[in-house]
């Protein structure tokens, strides 16, 4: 657990992780509201690419030991 007097440092990968997760959710919402199947497919592909980028950042954070929910000793 992080010391009480000092907030956890947010790394660039941590910021990217939350950004790509939000972007994937936004693209999913847009895809569900589209009218044409070709637009839906394109937006779903973009959402999947965003999830892949988030997974990369999640792996880097886990390797660093700053993964959300990780316990520090």
């Amino acid at each position: 657990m992080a010391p009480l007097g000092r907030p956890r440092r947010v790394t660039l990968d941590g910021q990217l992780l939350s950004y790509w997760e939000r972007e994937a959710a936004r693209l999913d919402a847009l895809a569900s509201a589209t009218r044409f199947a070709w637009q839906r497919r394109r937006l779903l592909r973009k959402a999947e690419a965003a999830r892949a980028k988030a997974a990369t950042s999640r792996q880097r954070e886990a390797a660093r030991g700053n993964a959300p929910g990780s316990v520090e000793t």
Side-chain angles (χ1 to χ4, degrees), residues 7-72:
R8 267 181 91 109
R9 194 174 110 203
V10 178
T11 63
L12 178 58
D13 282 318
Q15 293 174 4
L16 286 172
L17 174 61
S18 63
Y19 170 78
W20 288 118
E21 287 175 343
R22 285 192 320 269
E23 185 67 7
R26 183 184 75 85
L27 290 166
D28 282 335
L30 285 174
S32 67
T34 58
R35 193 170 169 184
F36 301 108
W38 64 268
Q39 288 176 325
R40 186 175 304 113
R41 285 190 303 269
R42 179 172 166 84
L43 288 169
L44 290 174
R45 279 194 303 266
K46 284 184 171 188
E48 189 57 38
R51 282 189 203 92
K53 290 178 182 180
T56 302
S57 292
R58 186 177 295 111
Q59 289 172 349
R60 289 180 182 164
E61 281 292 291
R64 189 177 285 116
N66 292 339
S70 71
V71 178
E72 294 179 7

